[in-house]
Amino acid sequence: MDLSKKIREIQDFPKEGINFKDITTLLQDKEAFTYMVDTLAAQLKDLNVDIVVGPESRGFIVGVPVAYKIGAGFVPVRKPGKLPAEIVRYEYELEYGKDALEIHRDAIQPGQKVAIIDDLLATGGTVLATAKLIEELGGEVVSINFLIELAFLKGREKLSNYNVKTLITYHD
């Protein structure tokens, strides 16, 4: 199935010059949604994943059904101030400023095999920060999987030390 045909593109959203990839049209199509989950799960089949981690917020939407399908737990990575228990924070640089992500300190146990799943690989900063949080807690990032990659933004280069897979790649 060509999942790219199920994604709506919206010009100049959220600002002029951006061609937004809207996955809500894929998610509402039961066959496409099932195919996406099954395909992402198949990529993780032989990796003995203990935990799937999804960055806020579309990583939750994509990651939870995959975790269920492979029999793994799910852990959210959130923007600051959203998690109620003791956290670990990772700050990272953006083009113009800084951002941060947080994870519960007890979410990943040393030696656990972790897959990160998100909807979109753009510049790679958010997922690299997510990987650093997992590693700080002693987890092993065995795979990073995306529905979409915007290859022209070269985010894969930031993730060159990881096993990265995508279902759809846009080159321009």
Side-chain angles (χ1 to χ4, degrees):
M1 175 180 294
D2 183 355
L3 292 177
S4 67
K5 291 184 181 344
K6 303 295 183 177
I7 294 172
R8 175 173 39 204
E9 295 190 21
I10 301 174
Q11 299 294 318
D12 299 321
F13 182 85
K15 61 184 183 177
E16 191 171 332
I18 303 278
N19 183 17
F20 187 79
K21 309 297 188 219
D22 178 13
I23 67 167
T24 61
T25 47
L26 182 151
L27 298 173
Q28 73 192 35
D29 180 313
K30 64 185 176 183
E31 287 86 15
F33 180 68
T34 300
Y35 181 82
M36 176 195 73
V37 171
D38 289 348
T39 305
L40 288 168
Q43 292 176 340
L44 303 174
K45 181 180 144 207
D46 297 322
L47 299 177
N48 299 314
V49 173
D50 299 302
I51 298 287
V52 170
V53 169
E56 188 167 327
S57 67
R58 289 182 301 263
F60 305 170
I61 295 168
V62 179
V64 167
V66 174
Y68 175 80
K69 179 86 176 174
I70 66 171
F74 180 82
V75 170
V77 168
R78 304 288 317 259
K79 301 258 185 204
K82 303 281 186 178
L83 294 171
E86 187 178 353
I87 57 97
V88 174
R89 175 190 292 239
Y90 185 86
E91 291 187 7
Y92 59 102
E93 297 289 327
L94 298 171
E95 270 184 83
Y96 302 102
K98 292 185 179 189
D99 207 347
L101 292 174
E102 297 176 345
I103 190 171
H104 278 136
R105 183 169 294 285
D106 61 358
I108 307 291
Q109 302 307 309
Q112 283 188 310
K113 294 181 184 280
V114 180
I116 301 170
I117 297 185
D118 205 357
D119 71 318
L120 180 75
L121 171 56
T123 63
T126 299
V127 172
L128 181 59
T130 300
K132 297 300 184 189
L133 283 168
I134 292 163
E135 292 166 347
E136 184 174 337
L137 294 174
E140 177 190 355
V141 178
V142 296
S143 190
I144 303 176
N145 304 68
F146 299 94
L147 171 59
I148 299 168
E149 177 180 3
L150 303 179
F152 55 92
L153 295 177
K154 303 186 187 305
R156 189 179 283 263
E157 292 175 7
K158 281 187 184 163
L159 305 173
S160 62
N161 293 331
Y162 300 97
N163 174 28
V164 176
K165 296 185 177 181
T166 60
L167 300 186
I168 303 165
T169 302
Y170 293 94
H171 294 283
D172 54 16

